[in-house]
Amino acid sequence: VFDEAAELGVLQLHFSGGEPMARRDLTDLVAHASAQGLYTNLITSGVLLTDDATAALGAAGIDHIQLSFQDIIPQQADRMAGYRRGHDKKLEAARRIHRAGLPLTTNFVIHRQNIDRVADMIALAEQLDAQRIEIAHVQYYGWALLNRGALLPSLDQLERTNEVVEAARMRLKGRIAI
């Protein structure tokens, strides 16, 4: 499929999921895609991204890694992700990515319970040396659809967040894409 995609003119391949790091053949897939000239991007929670896995992905030709964060408060992030100490593992994954010299995007999944911390999320991305920041509203399917009443931000929250993001875009212009 990767060969056909490259022949058709596809330029980028995003390994997403679920959790692509759970695949035993991920490094082989990245190597094959890279050999076809495809720009490869891993979209991961980061909790399975070890030093060895980062090195293997780098050697295979991964071009970029995106880490998803559920909050900046560890207890809240872990509660939302349903993974104890997951936030700490994500922070360490970001450091691994930086040490490996790979570009990093931080993706902050926002909702009513964390949207007021967007400025702090952007500050965390700066501390982690991210090249790109995504502020992405939770997608309403599965668990989030069932809990949308607790997750849907108010109009006031959305308006304030837009102001925070726009101010950060201006301040970080030329350094970090938001």
Side-chain angles (χ1 to χ4, degrees):
V1 172
F2 297 169
D3 297 347
E4 290 176 9
E7 285 175 24
L8 290 170
V10 170
L11 301 175
Q12 298 181 17
L13 180 65
H14 300 276
F15 293 96
S16 188
E19 177 51 61
M21 288 298 303
R23 292 189 63 107
R24 291 186 184 136
D25 61 348
L26 179 62
T27 301
D28 294 333
L29 294 171
V30 168
H32 187 83
S34 183
Q36 296 305 311
L38 297 170
Y39 181 92
T40 55
N41 179 34
L42 173 65
I43 301 170
T44 180
S45 70
V47 299
L48 300 176
L49 193 64
T50 63
D51 285 332
D52 289 344
T54 305
L57 287 166
I62 196 75
D63 291 300
H64 178 265
I65 299 179
Q66 175 179 310
L67 287 180
S68 298
F69 287 86
Q70 282 64 41
D71 207 325
I72 57 155
I73 298 173
Q75 299 83 358
Q76 296 290 24
D78 292 352
R79 181 178 67 84
M80 280 299 187
Y83 194 93
R84 203 172 102 209
R85 298 216 53 224
H87 186 73
D88 293 339
K89 290 182 179 201
K90 291 168 184 277
L91 293 173
E92 185 52 39
R95 293 179 191 105
R96 279 188 183 98
I97 293 163
H98 181 70
R99 285 193 305 265
L102 294 167
L104 169 66
T105 291
T106 54
N107 177 305
F108 294 97
V109 181
I110 61 168
H111 46 77
R112 178 186 307 209
Q113 297 174 29
N114 70 3
I115 195 169
D116 295 325
R117 292 187 285 281
V118 166
D120 294 328
M121 293 173 188
I122 293 169
L124 175 60
E126 288 181 82
Q127 291 170 10
L128 295 173
D129 293 316
Q131 286 76 36
R132 191 166 172 270
I133 302 169
E134 287 188 7
I135 307 296
H137 198 275
V138 68
Q139 297 175 8
Y140 290 107
Y141 54 85
W143 176 88
L145 179 61
L146 295 173
N147 292 283
R148 68 185 174 272
L151 297 173
L152 189 63
S154 69
L155 179 58
D156 185 53
Q157 285 179 308
L158 289 173
E159 289 172 347
R160 280 195 317 264
T161 298
N162 284 337
E163 291 171 6
V164 168
V165 169
E166 195 52 43
R169 279 186 178 136
M170 298 303 290
R171 180 175 59 82
L172 298 171
K173 188 174 185 174
R175 284 188 30 222
I176 301 175
I178 300 179

